[in-house]
Amino acid sequence: MQTGYPSIDKPWLKYYSGETLNVLPTGMSIYDYMRQCNQNHLHDVALLYQGRRITFEQMFQEIEIVARALVAISINVGDIVTLTLPTTPETVYLFYALNKLGAVANFIDPRTNITRIRKYILDTNSEYIFTIDKYSKAVMEAVQETRIKFGVILSAKTSLPVLMKCTYTMATLCAKNTGFDSISPTGKLFVSWKQFLAYSNSIATVDSAAFCANRPAGIVYTSGTTGIPKGAVFSNENLVAQAVNMSNAFFIEHRGRGCRFLNIMPPWLAYGLTCAMSTILCMGMQMDIIPQFNYTKFDTLLLKHKPEIILGVPTFFEEVIKSPKLKGVDLSFLKAIIVGGSPLNIGTEEKINAFLANHNAKIRISKGYGMTEMCAATTYTSKDACNSLGSVGIPMFLNNVAIVDPDTQQELKYNEVGEIYLTGPTRMLQYLGNEAETQKIFTDFRGDKWVKTGDFGCISENGEIFHRGRIKQIMIYEGHNVFPGSIEDVLSKHPAVSQVVVAGVVHKESINNEVPTAFIVLQAGYEKSASIIDDFKAFSLIHLPQRDVAQAYVIVDAIPLTSNGKVDYTTLKQIAIG
């Protein structure tokens, strides 16, 4: 019997019925699970790196060597090892070798400032660090006054094919400071990757650590858009559950083993670690590694690599559809394009789908929704039937979603807008060393622990989730809630609009000191003028009530982005203020 409450009725389960579903295993590390998934496919390609093919068998051999070297330098169960690395084959080997030993990978963006890198090291009490040569000088400075006693400096050229190694440009990809095998200026010992691997010769073999429930396996840091970044701690159970979730979603659309996946997402993001690395390898896909991604060159990567599966944030694909390099190019090799990490407005979604159709791709863009605290993706549009315009799909098989009134904490019914609550086995363990913030984001609801997302949304009778915006970004204008996403959805359909972001900007004449402001990048051929802004206003009033439209319009050359490709709202608002 239907109750009218989505989280109880779970109408989305109809999309999974009749499918061969992966069952959630218990008592396994993510390394053991990944190995089990591929033990009968050792000769399949696991990693692609600039033309070099690395099979699962070769990858497992490298993981074993790295594990032996880690044991030789005294890394034990529960040790937290800091990795300030992009995705390279060595990063993959390190993560799984650490996991095999029961140690924890603490991922930090190497582009982060020195003070913050030092803080993350101190917070975890790390004694070991692995970094990339390009950022080794900054990392050497960051480890001062920490417990770091041993460091390893990798090069992006290590796993390149022989000929490419010979032409590798150190001035471009590496920092000048690559002085290995010596005491650094900080008094810490740093060695090269080759020298680190040599330690493995003193260890004959290593066994997997005995499984321990809820033992941390990885740490990634939130983006900090709602405050100071926090370290989200993931367990093996979290990572395995996410792999099972995504496997089931992909199997529904018949995507899986052998598909070429272009990995442009860095491992220091939950999106990159859980969805783009550990899950993809558990599914037996070929992970095509791009260590340093520039979204303005995405078109070149598509032409060169011809991937079948791509995962990214909306801004990446907004650039692709504008590319003159892709004019008339056949993109029928694409089997799935997945967007997440930040909202995709309806107008842009329609433009991307039209672009795909015009380039012979037999797909529509797929969307997902989640957050770092839930191992990234929690929902996904795995079938056209649950891929309506504006939706972010249905909950993944093991997860649950509820819409809750933020004032009464009572669950809302279908199509009613409230705060999105998430739960399931991908829910993180905690924020590292921050019990107060952990308690703020977790809440007990209907006898289980749920994550309060801070996002508004609703669920249709079809089981699809529709994201309406972050609560903190929703503006109260003249006593009425104004949803930025609704304005963006409308303006993005205007023929003169290439990109649009709506934000509240302080204005002295506003009752609440905040005015809904539309920041617009114009399509080629259109120029900034008073008349075009008047046109935007008139267009908005056709589709929205007067109280729900933008009250100010700012034409910009480009939408400012963070280093991870998300909208930089702080910079955006400064542009309006002048």
Side-chain angles (χ1 to χ4, degrees), residues 73 82 127-131 139-140 143 148-154 180-182 188-193 195-196 199:
I73 62 172
T82 294
E127 295 184 346
Y128 302 88
I129 191 166
F130 290 76
T131 191
V139 168
M140 283 182 174
V143 300
I148 293 292
K149 61 185 180 183
F150 187 89
V152 180
I153 302 178
L154 286 69
F180 310 140
D181 196 24
S182 62
K188 315 289 187 179
L189 177 62
F190 278 80
V191 302
S192 70
W193 178 254
Q195 291 159 340
F196 163 69
Y199 287 93

Side-chain angles (χ1 to χ4, degrees), residues 31-76:
Y31 168 74
D32 286 336
Y33 180 66
M34 189 271 289
R35 179 146 197 148
Q36 175 182 284
C37 289
N38 296 290
Q39 63 187 359
N40 296 324
H41 305 274
L42 295 178
H43 298 300
D44 288 356
V45 174
L47 309 176
L48 294 162
Y49 190 56
Q50 301 298 317
R52 182 184 171 194
R53 294 172 177 268
I54 301 168
T55 66
F56 280 98
E57 183 175 35
Q58 292 168 327
M59 184 180 73
F60 290 134
Q61 290 170 350
E62 294 292 339
I63 291 170
E64 176 67 17
I65 293 170
V66 173
R68 284 164 30 208
L70 291 172
V71 169
I73 62 172
S74 302
I75 289 177
N76 298 303

Side-chain angles (χ1 to χ4, degrees), residues 64-291:
E64 176 67 17
I65 293 170
V66 173
R68 284 164 30 208
L70 291 172
V71 169
I73 62 172
S74 302
I75 289 177
N76 298 303
V77 173
D79 286 347
I80 300 178
V81 178
T82 294
L83 310 181
T84 57
L85 298 169
T87 307
T88 67
E90 290 71 35
T91 308
V92 176
Y93 308 152
L94 266 170
F95 172 68
Y96 285 111
L98 287 167
N99 190 257
K100 178 178 181 177
L101 300 177
V104 187
N106 177 43
F107 283 99
I108 301 176
D109 184 345
R111 302 167 300 179
T112 305
N113 64 62
I114 290 170
T115 300
R116 189 159 285 176
I117 291 175
R118 182 179 294 136
K119 179 184 185 304
Y120 295 160
I121 293 171
L122 289 169
D123 288 348
T124 58
N125 289 317
S126 288
E127 295 184 346
Y128 302 88
I129 191 166
F130 290 76
T131 191
I132 195 78
D133 47 12
K134 182 176 182 179
Y135 295 97
S136 61
K137 184 176 181 180
V139 168
M140 283 182 174
E141 184 175 344
V143 300
Q144 294 184 59
E145 300 174 13
T146 71
R147 294 180 62 186
I148 293 292
K149 61 185 180 183
F150 187 89
V152 180
I153 302 178
L154 286 69
S155 169
K157 73 174 183 178
T158 300
S159 290
L160 290 176
V162 175
L163 290 178
M164 290 192 70
K165 281 186 181 180
C166 296
T167 58
Y168 182 82
T169 308
M170 298 295 290
T172 303
L173 299 179
C174 301
K176 292 181 180 179
N177 183 351
T178 55
F180 310 140
D181 196 24
S182 62
I183 301 296
S184 76
T186 65
K188 315 289 187 179
L189 177 62
F190 278 80
V191 302
S192 70
W193 178 254
K194 182 178 180 180
Q195 291 159 340
F196 163 69
L197 292 185
Y199 287 93
S200 68
N201 295 328
S202 64
I203 304 294
T205 186
V206 293
D207 296 323
S208 292
F211 179 80
C212 178
N214 294 321
R215 181 167 60 209
I219 303 169
V220 297
Y221 293 84
T222 60
S223 61
T225 53
T226 58
I228 297 173
K230 298 173 282 290
V233 182
F234 299 143
S235 67
N236 282 292
E237 293 95 327
N238 294 154
L239 298 175
V240 171
Q242 185 66 311
V244 171
N245 263 339
M246 288 189 64
S247 295
N248 288 328
F250 271 63
F251 288 160
I252 288 177
E253 55 182 14
H254 310 294
R255 310 286 179 245
R257 181 166 299 281
C259 283
R260 185 166 181 166
F261 173 80
L262 188 67
N263 187 3
I264 56 177
M265 302 303 295
W268 55 78
L269 299 177
Y271 207 178
L273 174 61
T274 70
C275 297
M277 188 168 83
S278 65
T279 287
I280 291 302
L281 291 173
C282 288
M283 293 168 66
M285 291 193 186
Q286 300 178 25
M287 190 167 77
D288 199 342
I289 295 173
I290 308 298

Side-chain angles (χ1 to χ4, degrees), residues 473 475-478 482 487 502-519 549-553 573 576:
Q473 290 173 356
M475 295 150 281
I476 301 176
Y477 181 69
E478 296 185 350
V482 178
I487 302 172
V502 175
V505 177
V506 173
H507 195 291
K508 63 182 179 180
E509 296 179 3
S510 171
I511 295 174
N512 294 290
N513 296 320
E514 193 174 61
V515 168
T517 302
F519 297 85
V549 302
Q551 302 299 315
Y553 296 81
K573 292 180 181 183

Side-chain angles (χ1 to χ4, degrees), residues 285-304:
M285 291 193 186
Q286 300 178 25
M287 190 167 77
D288 199 342
I289 295 173
I290 308 298
Q292 188 173 13
F293 176 68
N294 182 341
Y295 72 91
T296 64
K297 297 180 180 178
F298 201 178
D299 50 2
T300 302
L301 286 176
L302 287 178
L303 292 171
K304 178 181 178 181

